[in-house]
Amino acid sequence: MEAALQLFLEKDITQITMKEIGARAGISRVTLYKYYNSLHEIAFDVHCKVLSELHRNHLQQIDKGGDGAHKLQLYFASFAEILHTNPDIFRFTAFFDLLFREYHPAPEQEAKYKELLKKGQLLMTSILEEGARDGSMRSDLSIPMTAEMIQFSLMNMAQKIAIRGKMLKMMRGTEPDAVMAELFGMIKEYTAPRD
């Protein structure tokens, strides 16, 4: 998985072969074919692994407690830390989104992917529901829609920063971390209780 991830980040999938992934991983192409039928299947499993790691990290952070608003701040901190320490995760998710924008390689992989997305949605939904209950967030939020909006906004911004953050700074003089912090602030303001 690590060998495939690095190759996917280095080259376009059309330039990568199963033999090359096997060589990078220290196994034969024949051995690799015992587990995967195609590069697309490998890319799909790498993506599922990446999403699982993101979810696990977010869970560990929000378990530190507090009210719903505090848990949302912890979620933001987790997201920012991953973007700062491992931007390749978000570069890969952008690559994946482009590669699989219209189809998935196999029904069982699609089901696995949907389950991972559902976990992320449930986590954000639970944070928002807790905030609405404890009064640290608006009680009139459309929670499913707000959860989707937050997750899409964070992921899309992280992908953009991971891919073009250096260019953003060079061409516009804007610090990518400041842009992400501004997005966090906008979401926090949107979810804050109304007077």
Side-chain angles (χ1 to χ4, degrees), residues 26-51:
I27 60 174
S28 72
R29 189 184 82 199
V30 173
T31 301
L32 186 58
Y33 271 110
K34 288 181 182 179
Y35 299 97
Y36 294 102
N37 294 318
S38 70
L39 290 170
H40 289 164
E41 286 183 12
I42 295 172
F44 214 87
D45 273 1
V46 169
H47 188 65
C48 287
K49 180 179 184 280
V50 163
L51 290 181

PDB file of all heavy atoms in Angstrom, residues 26-51:
ATOM      1  N   GLY A  26       8.883  -4.750  -3.088  1.00  0.00           N
ATOM      2  CA  GLY A  26       9.768  -5.877  -2.839  1.00  0.00           C
ATOM      3  C   GLY A  26       9.102  -7.227  -3.035  1.00  0.00           C
ATOM      4  O   GLY A  26       9.492  -8.219  -2.423  1.00  0.00           O
ATOM      5  N   ILE A  27       8.077  -7.267  -3.900  1.00  0.00           N
ATOM      6  CA  ILE A  27       7.405  -8.534  -4.212  1.00  0.00           C
ATOM      7  C   ILE A  27       7.307  -8.665  -5.724  1.00  0.00           C
ATOM      8  O   ILE A  27       7.438  -7.693  -6.456  1.00  0.00           O
ATOM      9  CB  ILE A  27       5.998  -8.632  -3.572  1.00  0.00           C
ATOM     10  CG1 ILE A  27       5.087  -7.498  -4.071  1.00  0.00           C
ATOM     11  CG2 ILE A  27       6.084  -8.626  -2.057  1.00  0.00           C
ATOM     12  CD1 ILE A  27       3.644  -7.605  -3.610  1.00  0.00           C
ATOM     13  N   SER A  28       7.022  -9.860  -6.195  1.00  0.00           N
ATOM     14  CA  SER A  28       6.913 -10.065  -7.641  1.00  0.00           C
ATOM     15  C   SER A  28       5.548  -9.605  -8.143  1.00  0.00           C
ATOM     16  O   SER A  28       4.585  -9.490  -7.383  1.00  0.00           O
ATOM     17  CB  SER A  28       7.105 -11.546  -7.984  1.00  0.00           C
ATOM     18  OG  SER A  28       5.972 -12.285  -7.566  1.00  0.00           O
ATOM     19  N   ARG A  29       5.489  -9.358  -9.424  1.00  0.00           N
ATOM     20  CA  ARG A  29       4.223  -8.978 -10.055  1.00  0.00           C
ATOM     21  C   ARG A  29       3.201 -10.103  -9.902  1.00  0.00           C
ATOM     22  O   ARG A  29       2.020  -9.861  -9.653  1.00  0.00           O
ATOM     23  CB  ARG A  29       4.462  -8.655 -11.524  1.00  0.00           C
ATOM     24  CG  ARG A  29       3.255  -8.057 -12.197  1.00  0.00           C
ATOM     25  CD  ARG A  29       3.483  -7.834 -13.651  1.00  0.00           C
ATOM     26  NE  ARG A  29       3.228  -9.139 -14.275  1.00  0.00           N
ATOM     27  CZ  ARG A  29       3.633  -9.501 -15.469  1.00  0.00           C
ATOM     28  NH1 ARG A  29       4.339  -8.702 -16.197  1.00  0.00           N
ATOM     29  NH2 ARG A  29       3.356 -10.679 -15.944  1.00  0.00           N
ATOM     30  N   VAL A  30       3.668 -11.336 -10.014  1.00  0.00           N
ATOM     31  CA  VAL A  30       2.779 -12.498  -9.867  1.00  0.00           C
ATOM     32  C   VAL A  30       2.159 -12.517  -8.465  1.00  0.00           C
ATOM     33  O   VAL A  30       0.958 -12.740  -8.307  1.00  0.00           O
ATOM     34  CB  VAL A  30       3.558 -13.813 -10.151  1.00  0.00           C
ATOM     35  CG1 VAL A  30       2.712 -15.029  -9.829  1.00  0.00           C
ATOM     36  CG2 VAL A  30       4.030 -13.840 -11.592  1.00  0.00           C
ATOM     37  N   THR A  31       2.968 -12.252  -7.458  1.00  0.00           N
ATOM     38  CA  THR A  31       2.453 -12.209  -6.081  1.00  0.00           C
ATOM     39  C   THR A  31       1.433 -11.088  -5.937  1.00  0.00           C
ATOM     40  O   THR A  31       0.377 -11.268  -5.316  1.00  0.00           O
ATOM     41  CB  THR A  31       3.604 -12.017  -5.075  1.00  0.00           C
ATOM     42  OG1 THR A  31       4.524 -13.108  -5.226  1.00  0.00           O
ATOM     43  CG2 THR A  31       3.094 -11.962  -3.648  1.00  0.00           C
ATOM     44  N   LEU A  32       1.711  -9.934  -6.511  1.00  0.00           N
ATOM     45  CA  LEU A  32       0.793  -8.801  -6.427  1.00  0.00           C
ATOM     46  C   LEU A  32      -0.548  -9.151  -7.074  1.00  0.00           C
ATOM     47  O   LEU A  32      -1.609  -8.806  -6.540  1.00  0.00           O
ATOM     48  CB  LEU A  32       1.417  -7.574  -7.113  1.00  0.00           C
ATOM     49  CG  LEU A  32       0.664  -6.261  -6.996  1.00  0.00           C
ATOM     50  CD1 LEU A  32       0.460  -5.859  -5.539  1.00  0.00           C
ATOM     51  CD2 LEU A  32       1.424  -5.164  -7.735  1.00  0.00           C
ATOM     52  N   TYR A  33      -0.515  -9.870  -8.198  1.00  0.00           N
ATOM     53  CA  TYR A  33      -1.750 -10.255  -8.886  1.00  0.00           C
ATOM     54  C   TYR A  33      -2.569 -11.268  -8.081  1.00  0.00           C
ATOM     55  O   TYR A  33      -3.756 -11.451  -8.352  1.00  0.00           O
ATOM     56  CB  TYR A  33      -1.468 -10.797 -10.288  1.00  0.00           C
ATOM     57  CG  TYR A  33      -1.452  -9.724 -11.343  1.00  0.00           C
ATOM     58  CD1 TYR A  33      -0.264  -9.345 -11.964  1.00  0.00           C
ATOM     59  CD2 TYR A  33      -2.627  -9.071 -11.722  1.00  0.00           C
ATOM     60  CE1 TYR A  33      -0.251  -8.357 -12.937  1.00  0.00           C
ATOM     61  CE2 TYR A  33      -2.625  -8.080 -12.684  1.00  0.00           C
ATOM     62  CZ  TYR A  33      -1.427  -7.734 -13.292  1.00  0.00           C
ATOM     63  OH  TYR A  33      -1.411  -6.742 -14.252  1.00  0.00           O
ATOM     64  N   LYS A  34      -1.983 -11.901  -7.100  1.00  0.00           N
ATOM     65  CA  LYS A  34      -2.760 -12.797  -6.228  1.00  0.00           C
ATOM     66  C   LYS A  34      -3.736 -12.004  -5.358  1.00  0.00           C
ATOM     67  O   LYS A  34      -4.732 -12.517  -4.893  1.00  0.00           O
ATOM     68  CB  LYS A  34      -1.830 -13.627  -5.342  1.00  0.00           C
ATOM     69  CG  LYS A  34      -1.076 -14.703  -6.090  1.00  0.00           C
ATOM     70  CD  LYS A  34      -0.202 -15.494  -5.153  1.00  0.00           C
ATOM     71  CE  LYS A  34       0.577 -16.542  -5.932  1.00  0.00           C
ATOM     72  NZ  LYS A  34       1.465 -17.327  -5.074  1.00  0.00           N
ATOM     73  N   TYR A  35      -3.417 -10.737  -5.134  1.00  0.00           N
ATOM     74  CA  TYR A  35      -4.227  -9.889  -4.261  1.00  0.00           C
ATOM     75  C   TYR A  35      -5.045  -8.846  -5.019  1.00  0.00           C
ATOM     76  O   TYR A  35      -6.106  -8.428  -4.549  1.00  0.00           O
ATOM     77  CB  TYR A  35      -3.333  -9.183  -3.239  1.00  0.00           C
ATOM     78  CG  TYR A  35      -2.608 -10.162  -2.347  1.00  0.00           C
ATOM     79  CD1 TYR A  35      -1.302 -10.553  -2.627  1.00  0.00           C
ATOM     80  CD2 TYR A  35      -3.242 -10.714  -1.249  1.00  0.00           C
ATOM     81  CE1 TYR A  35      -0.642 -11.465  -1.822  1.00  0.00           C
ATOM     82  CE2 TYR A  35      -2.594 -11.633  -0.437  1.00  0.00           C
ATOM     83  CZ  TYR A  35      -1.293 -12.005  -0.729  1.00  0.00           C
ATOM     84  OH  TYR A  35      -0.647 -12.914   0.070  1.00  0.00           O
ATOM     85  N   TYR A  36      -4.535  -8.399  -6.152  1.00  0.00           N
ATOM     86  CA  TYR A  36      -5.198  -7.331  -6.909  1.00  0.00           C
ATOM     87  C   TYR A  36      -5.244  -7.669  -8.387  1.00  0.00           C
ATOM     88  O   TYR A  36      -4.272  -8.164  -8.942  1.00  0.00           O
ATOM     89  CB  TYR A  36      -4.444  -6.004  -6.742  1.00  0.00           C
ATOM     90  CG  TYR A  36      -4.493  -5.469  -5.337  1.00  0.00           C
ATOM     91  CD1 TYR A  36      -3.399  -5.616  -4.483  1.00  0.00           C
ATOM     92  CD2 TYR A  36      -5.623  -4.824  -4.857  1.00  0.00           C
ATOM     93  CE1 TYR A  36      -3.449  -5.128  -3.180  1.00  0.00           C
ATOM     94  CE2 TYR A  36      -5.680  -4.339  -3.561  1.00  0.00           C
ATOM     95  CZ  TYR A  36      -4.586  -4.486  -2.732  1.00  0.00           C
ATOM     96  OH  TYR A  36      -4.632  -4.018  -1.453  1.00  0.00           O
ATOM     97  N   ASN A  37      -6.373  -7.343  -9.011  1.00  0.00           N
ATOM     98  CA  ASN A  37      -6.518  -7.568 -10.451  1.00  0.00           C
ATOM     99  C   ASN A  37      -6.092  -6.376 -11.289  1.00  0.00           C
ATOM    100  O   ASN A  37      -5.882  -6.520 -12.486  1.00  0.00           O
ATOM    101  CB  ASN A  37      -7.978  -7.917 -10.784  1.00  0.00           C
ATOM    102  CG  ASN A  37      -8.383  -9.240 -10.193  1.00  0.00           C
ATOM    103  OD1 ASN A  37      -7.621 -10.198 -10.239  1.00  0.00           O
ATOM    104  ND2 ASN A  37      -9.574  -9.295  -9.629  1.00  0.00           N
ATOM    105  N   SER A  38      -6.009  -5.197 -10.654  1.00  0.00           N
ATOM    106  CA  SER A  38      -5.694  -4.005 -11.436  1.00  0.00           C
ATOM    107  C   SER A  38      -5.121  -2.899 -10.552  1.00  0.00           C
ATOM    108  O   SER A  38      -5.244  -2.936  -9.322  1.00  0.00           O
ATOM    109  CB  SER A  38      -6.957  -3.475 -12.125  1.00  0.00           C
ATOM    110  OG  SER A  38      -7.839  -2.924 -11.164  1.00  0.00           O
ATOM    111  N   LEU A  39      -4.535  -1.905 -11.224  1.00  0.00           N
ATOM    112  CA  LEU A  39      -4.061  -0.711 -10.516  1.00  0.00           C
ATOM    113  C   LEU A  39      -5.212   0.028  -9.848  1.00  0.00           C
ATOM    114  O   LEU A  39      -5.053   0.585  -8.766  1.00  0.00           O
ATOM    115  CB  LEU A  39      -3.366   0.234 -11.503  1.00  0.00           C
ATOM    116  CG  LEU A  39      -2.037  -0.217 -12.061  1.00  0.00           C
ATOM    117  CD1 LEU A  39      -1.606   0.696 -13.199  1.00  0.00           C
ATOM    118  CD2 LEU A  39      -0.986  -0.221 -10.969  1.00  0.00           C
ATOM    119  N   HIS A  40      -6.373   0.010 -10.488  1.00  0.00           N
ATOM    120  CA  HIS A  40      -7.525   0.699  -9.929  1.00  0.00           C
ATOM    121  C   HIS A  40      -7.945   0.094  -8.592  1.00  0.00           C
ATOM    122  O   HIS A  40      -8.313   0.817  -7.659  1.00  0.00           O
ATOM    123  CB  HIS A  40      -8.684   0.699 -10.914  1.00  0.00           C
ATOM    124  CG  HIS A  40      -8.436   1.587 -12.082  1.00  0.00           C
ATOM    125  ND1 HIS A  40      -9.168   1.516 -13.241  1.00  0.00           N
ATOM    126  CD2 HIS A  40      -7.530   2.561 -12.297  1.00  0.00           C
ATOM    127  CE1 HIS A  40      -8.740   2.414 -14.102  1.00  0.00           C
ATOM    128  NE2 HIS A  40      -7.734   3.057 -13.552  1.00  0.00           N
ATOM    129  N   GLU A  41      -7.882  -1.217  -8.484  1.00  0.00           N
ATOM    130  CA  GLU A  41      -8.207  -1.867  -7.209  1.00  0.00           C
ATOM    131  C   GLU A  41      -7.210  -1.460  -6.123  1.00  0.00           C
ATOM    132  O   GLU A  41      -7.594  -1.232  -4.985  1.00  0.00           O
ATOM    133  CB  GLU A  41      -8.228  -3.387  -7.366  1.00  0.00           C
ATOM    134  CG  GLU A  41      -9.435  -3.895  -8.102  1.00  0.00           C
ATOM    135  CD  GLU A  41      -9.471  -5.413  -8.181  1.00  0.00           C
ATOM    136  OE1 GLU A  41      -8.684  -6.091  -7.472  1.00  0.00           O
ATOM    137  OE2 GLU A  41     -10.290  -5.938  -8.957  1.00  0.00           O
ATOM    138  N   ILE A  42      -5.956  -1.373  -6.492  1.00  0.00           N
ATOM    139  CA  ILE A  42      -4.939  -0.957  -5.520  1.00  0.00           C
ATOM    140  C   ILE A  42      -5.202   0.485  -5.088  1.00  0.00           C
ATOM    141  O   ILE A  42      -5.185   0.799  -3.896  1.00  0.00           O
ATOM    142  CB  ILE A  42      -3.513  -1.097  -6.102  1.00  0.00           C
ATOM    143  CG1 ILE A  42      -3.187  -2.572  -6.360  1.00  0.00           C
ATOM    144  CG2 ILE A  42      -2.481  -0.488  -5.152  1.00  0.00           C
ATOM    145  CD1 ILE A  42      -1.891  -2.798  -7.114  1.00  0.00           C
ATOM    146  N   ALA A  43      -5.456   1.361  -6.054  1.00  0.00           N
ATOM    147  CA  ALA A  43      -5.732   2.769  -5.733  1.00  0.00           C
ATOM    148  C   ALA A  43      -6.934   2.872  -4.800  1.00  0.00           C
ATOM    149  O   ALA A  43      -6.931   3.670  -3.851  1.00  0.00           O
ATOM    150  CB  ALA A  43      -5.974   3.569  -7.008  1.00  0.00           C
ATOM    151  N   PHE A  44      -7.938   2.066  -5.041  1.00  0.00           N
ATOM    152  CA  PHE A  44      -9.139   2.088  -4.210  1.00  0.00           C
ATOM    153  C   PHE A  44      -8.814   1.664  -2.778  1.00  0.00           C
ATOM    154  O   PHE A  44      -9.250   2.311  -1.813  1.00  0.00           O
ATOM    155  CB  PHE A  44     -10.190   1.157  -4.817  1.00  0.00           C
ATOM    156  CG  PHE A  44     -11.577   1.652  -4.629  1.00  0.00           C
ATOM    157  CD1 PHE A  44     -12.137   2.531  -5.532  1.00  0.00           C
ATOM    158  CD2 PHE A  44     -12.322   1.259  -3.549  1.00  0.00           C
ATOM    159  CE1 PHE A  44     -13.416   3.007  -5.357  1.00  0.00           C
ATOM    160  CE2 PHE A  44     -13.603   1.728  -3.358  1.00  0.00           C
ATOM    161  CZ  PHE A  44     -14.160   2.602  -4.272  1.00  0.00           C
ATOM    162  N   ASP A  45      -8.037   0.609  -2.628  1.00  0.00           N
ATOM    163  CA  ASP A  45      -7.667   0.156  -1.278  1.00  0.00           C
ATOM    164  C   ASP A  45      -6.770   1.166  -0.568  1.00  0.00           C
ATOM    165  O   ASP A  45      -6.895   1.369   0.636  1.00  0.00           O
ATOM    166  CB  ASP A  45      -6.985  -1.218  -1.326  1.00  0.00           C
ATOM    167  CG  ASP A  45      -7.985  -2.363  -1.288  1.00  0.00           C
ATOM    168  OD1 ASP A  45      -9.205  -2.088  -1.249  1.00  0.00           O
ATOM    169  OD2 ASP A  45      -7.559  -3.526  -1.294  1.00  0.00           O
ATOM    170  N   VAL A  46      -5.874   1.803  -1.305  1.00  0.00           N
ATOM    171  CA  VAL A  46      -5.032   2.841  -0.705  1.00  0.00           C
ATOM    172  C   VAL A  46      -5.917   3.976  -0.196  1.00  0.00           C
ATOM    173  O   VAL A  46      -5.736   4.476   0.913  1.00  0.00           O
ATOM    174  CB  VAL A  46      -3.978   3.372  -1.707  1.00  0.00           C
ATOM    175  CG1 VAL A  46      -3.291   4.622  -1.181  1.00  0.00           C
ATOM    176  CG2 VAL A  46      -2.943   2.296  -2.020  1.00  0.00           C
ATOM    177  N   HIS A  47      -6.898   4.355  -1.001  1.00  0.00           N
ATOM    178  CA  HIS A  47      -7.799   5.437  -0.589  1.00  0.00           C
ATOM    179  C   HIS A  47      -8.584   5.062   0.664  1.00  0.00           C
ATOM    180  O   HIS A  47      -8.722   5.874   1.584  1.00  0.00           O
ATOM    181  CB  HIS A  47      -8.751   5.787  -1.727  1.00  0.00           C
ATOM    182  CG  HIS A  47      -9.569   7.005  -1.463  1.00  0.00           C
ATOM    183  ND1 HIS A  47      -9.017   8.252  -1.329  1.00  0.00           N
ATOM    184  CD2 HIS A  47     -10.894   7.171  -1.291  1.00  0.00           C
ATOM    185  CE1 HIS A  47      -9.973   9.139  -1.094  1.00  0.00           C
ATOM    186  NE2 HIS A  47     -11.121   8.501  -1.065  1.00  0.00           N
ATOM    187  N   CYS A  48      -9.076   3.846   0.725  1.00  0.00           N
ATOM    188  CA  CYS A  48      -9.810   3.388   1.912  1.00  0.00           C
ATOM    189  C   CYS A  48      -8.905   3.398   3.145  1.00  0.00           C
ATOM    190  O   CYS A  48      -9.337   3.785   4.237  1.00  0.00           O
ATOM    191  CB  CYS A  48     -10.403   2.003   1.676  1.00  0.00           C
ATOM    192  SG  CYS A  48     -11.815   2.030   0.536  1.00  0.00           S
ATOM    193  N   LYS A  49      -7.653   3.019   2.973  1.00  0.00           N
ATOM    194  CA  LYS A  49      -6.701   3.054   4.082  1.00  0.00           C
ATOM    195  C   LYS A  49      -6.485   4.492   4.559  1.00  0.00           C
ATOM    196  O   LYS A  49      -6.474   4.776   5.758  1.00  0.00           O
ATOM    197  CB  LYS A  49      -5.374   2.432   3.649  1.00  0.00           C
ATOM    198  CG  LYS A  49      -4.297   2.414   4.707  1.00  0.00           C
ATOM    199  CD  LYS A  49      -3.026   1.753   4.161  1.00  0.00           C
ATOM    200  CE  LYS A  49      -1.958   1.621   5.197  1.00  0.00           C
ATOM    201  NZ  LYS A  49      -1.201   2.843   5.427  1.00  0.00           N
ATOM    202  N   VAL A  50      -6.331   5.403   3.613  1.00  0.00           N
ATOM    203  CA  VAL A  50      -6.126   6.817   3.945  1.00  0.00           C
ATOM    204  C   VAL A  50      -7.332   7.368   4.708  1.00  0.00           C
ATOM    205  O   VAL A  50      -7.189   8.036   5.734  1.00  0.00           O
ATOM    206  CB  VAL A  50      -5.851   7.625   2.654  1.00  0.00           C
ATOM    207  CG1 VAL A  50      -6.039   9.106   2.864  1.00  0.00           C
ATOM    208  CG2 VAL A  50      -4.448   7.326   2.134  1.00  0.00           C
ATOM    209  N   LEU A  51      -8.541   7.078   4.220  1.00  0.00           N
ATOM    210  CA  LEU A  51      -9.745   7.554   4.904  1.00  0.00           C
ATOM    211  C   LEU A  51      -9.872   6.964   6.305  1.00  0.00           C
ATOM    212  O   LEU A  51     -10.280   7.656   7.241  1.00  0.00           O
ATOM    213  CB  LEU A  51     -10.997   7.232   4.082  1.00  0.00           C
ATOM    214  CG  LEU A  51     -11.197   8.009   2.796  1.00  0.00           C
ATOM    215  CD1 LEU A  51     -12.500   7.582   2.117  1.00  0.00           C
ATOM    216  CD2 LEU A  51     -11.207   9.513   3.044  1.00  0.00           C
TER     217      LEU A  51
END
